[in-house]
Amino acid sequence: MITGSLKTTKSEEIFAAAQKLMPGGVSSPVRAFKSVGGQPIVFDRVKGAYVWDVDGNQYIDYVGTWGPAICGHAHPDVLKALHEALEKGTSFGAPCVLENTLAEMVIDAVPSIEMVRFVNSGTEACMSVLRLMRAFTGREKIIKFEGCYHGHADMFLVKAGSGVATLGLPDSPGVPKSTTGNTLTAPFNNLEAVKNLFEENPGEIAGVILEPVVGNAGFIPPDGGFLAGLRELTREHEALLMFDEVMTGFRIAYGGAQEKFGITPDLTTLGKVIGGGLPVGAYGGRKDIMQMVAPAGPMYQAGTLSGNPLAMTAGIKTLEILRQPGSYEYLENVTKRLADGLLQIAKETGHAACGGNISGMFGLFFTEGPVHNYEDAKKSDLQKFSRFHRGMLERGVYLAPSQFEAGFTSLAHTDEDIDRTLQAAREVMAAL
Ligand SMILES: *Cc1c(COP(=O)(O)O)cnc(C)c1O
């Protein structure tokens, strides 16, 4: 049973069958609703701000396929462009002009990117950029932050519990200690910790990698001065600064967090939005660094489907829609109404909560706050979040099934959708 009042018979049947076919019944873990309990609902179709499940229930969607659906699901212009591209074939494995078009758009938009390489996922972008950071600097250690997610490549899967924060112990069986031993971790928003790591490892740190606005530990923005401080420290120690903008790129501003906060890293990874719902990732940055990538330089990285014409097409169309005047103002307004509304309702109904939004990305933690890092985020009342999640689902609102995920809006979300969502939240929070 998923919920009391939703009819979900078909979802349950399909998910039961899926569990015999695929580990946990899913193709990616968080989809399985493990952290909120109950079973996932199985989607049938998506359009605009809405998703429909296989039992015919409709939901207002704040997951947006985990970020890409920023123009709204199945935007007609994107679908039309894809239909046309489809007629020319699904994969070339050779240069195509669409790659130039999307590369130019990315280079124009993102301050740090002078050259770009397309790959197929955010994971691939992050593992490739790390190889590049090491190749360029001739150093092996990196600094990442607790609670930041950079895909599932070995060297990023480091458990960063408070006591062993700098030991680099692997987070998953199968990840060798020798791989994660070079991954140093620090709490987000803690410049002092980063400074100490640089001092303890002189001349050994290739660079610092971070989500400039954290979305994978819930929504955690950088404190004033944090990004600038990292820029200064990396320069001082001749290390590279890498913004993982797989989530924030083209979401919190057209030029990403680096445009929003005015801090230019050396390298950047992208994904999600730039694929417009098809599988894409990218890494890019300073030309002198990017020139090291094969075949221009010696750092090897390749991909059979990279620069795929369908993925390039969906990305180009999505960015064309986003760069129309007013897009980000719209996202900011609609999302702020939602984020402020949720906080207000939590307050009125007597629940400790904190949160916020930047453009079309938002978060709500069931804790007094403030939340500056993952340790703070973990103080949230997870039981309460689970009940909130379930109550919202029953009322036709689809939220990410974890307290530690940011929420996403789109250009298709209307004031009326926000009103309905807030009304649902009022009912659920009053009953929590
Ligand atoms: C989603 C995400 C990734 C991984 O991207 P995939 O396409 O899922 O491999 C990496 N970094 C950040 C910040 C992400 O949000």
Side-chain angles (χ1 to χ4, degrees), residues 126-189:
C126 292
M127 61 184 262
S128 306
V129 88
L130 177 54
R131 184 180 304 147
L132 179 58
M133 289 165 77
R134 289 171 163 166
F136 186 79
T137 58
R139 301 171 178 180
E140 294 201 350
K141 292 185 179 170
I142 56 151
I143 299 176
K144 81 174 275 289
F145 294 92
E146 287 174 41
C148 280
Y149 181 65
H150 305 295
H152 61 79
D154 282 358
M155 50 285 179
F156 297 121
L157 287 185
V158 177
K159 182 150 209 159
S162 49
V164 290
T166 60
L167 292 184
L169 299 176
D171 211 12
S172 161
V175 174
K177 276 200 204 77
S178 55
T179 318
T180 55
N182 284 320
T183 307
L184 313 175
T185 57
F188 195 74
N189 277 324

Side-chain angles (χ1 to χ4, degrees), residues 190-204:
N190 188 333
L191 272 181
E192 203 51 37
V194 178
K195 194 160 173 262
N196 291 340
L197 287 175
F198 270 115
E199 277 162 14
E200 288 158 15
N201 300 272
E204 291 187 278

Side-chain angles (χ1 to χ4, degrees), residues 303-320:
T304 301
L305 292 172
S306 297
N308 174 271
L310 295 180
M312 296 295 106
T313 298
I316 292 164
K317 253 311 149 197
T318 298
L319 298 197
E320 279 177 5

Side-chain angles (χ1 to χ4, degrees), residues 8-225:
T8 54
T9 326
K10 279 191 189 161
S11 268
E12 285 161 43
E13 278 169 23
I14 292 169
F15 187 61
Q19 283 175 293
K20 298 197 182 99
L21 302 168
M22 297 172 286
V26 289
S27 299
S28 191
V30 76
R31 295 178 197 171
F33 276 42
K34 284 237 164 167
S35 73
V36 288
Q39 291 191 6
I41 55 169
V42 176
F43 284 13
D44 178 52
R45 66 197 165 91
V46 295
K47 185 77 188 169
Y50 309 119
V51 302
W52 287 263
D53 69 16
V54 287
D55 290 283
N57 301 304
Q58 182 185 337
Y59 308 84
I60 304 172
D61 178 29
Y62 293 103
V63 179
T65 184
W66 301 93
I70 193 167
C71 300
H73 290 290
H75 191 287
D77 294 354
V78 177
L79 292 191
K80 182 163 171 283
L82 277 173
H83 280 128
E84 284 163 14
L86 200 51
E87 293 299 319
K88 293 183 162 190
T90 56
S91 176
F92 296 165
C96 91
V97 71
L98 296 166
E99 293 167 87
N100 293 18
T101 308
L102 188 58
E104 269 173 5
M105 293 175 92
V106 167
I107 290 165
D108 283 350
V110 185
S112 67
I113 300 188
E114 296 171 355
M115 273 190 146
V116 65
R117 164 62 59 86
F118 292 113
V119 292
N120 303 290
S121 70
T123 294
E124 216 186 310
C126 292
M127 61 184 262
S128 306
V129 88
L130 177 54
R131 184 180 304 147
L132 179 58
M133 289 165 77
R134 289 171 163 166
F136 186 79
T137 58
R139 301 171 178 180
E140 294 201 350
K141 292 185 179 170
I142 56 151
I143 299 176
K144 81 174 275 289
F145 294 92
E146 287 174 41
C148 280
Y149 181 65
H150 305 295
H152 61 79
D154 282 358
M155 50 285 179
F156 297 121
L157 287 185
V158 177
K159 182 150 209 159
S162 49
V164 290
T166 60
L167 292 184
L169 299 176
D171 211 12
S172 161
V175 174
K177 276 200 204 77
S178 55
T179 318
T180 55
N182 284 320
T183 307
L184 313 175
T185 57
F188 195 74
N189 277 324
N190 188 333
L191 272 181
E192 203 51 37
V194 178
K195 194 160 173 262
N196 291 340
L197 287 175
F198 270 115
E199 277 162 14
E200 288 158 15
N201 300 272
E204 291 187 278
I205 295 172
V208 175
I209 170 167
L210 74 153
E211 294 178 70
V213 175
V214 183
N216 286 291
F219 169 79
I220 309 175
D223 291 346

Side-chain angles (χ1 to χ4, degrees), residues 377-396:
K378 284 197 290 192
K379 293 178 190 142
S380 301
D381 186 337
L382 302 184
Q383 268 289 328
K384 193 178 271 186
F385 177 81
S386 297
R387 283 180 279 130
F388 177 66
H389 182 271
R390 180 170 297 228
M392 294 300 276
L393 196 67
E394 283 184 33
R395 284 164 185 78

Side-chain angles (χ1 to χ4, degrees), residues 213-248:
V213 175
V214 183
N216 286 291
F219 169 79
I220 309 175
D223 291 346
F226 180 60
L227 300 178
L230 291 178
R231 182 64 283 186
E232 224 167 88
L233 276 173
T234 45
R235 280 223 177 93
E236 190 183 317
H237 293 274
E238 292 170 351
L240 299 172
L241 182 61
M242 202 309 276
F243 280 5
D244 178 354
E245 299 228 39
V246 170
M247 185 183 288
T248 53

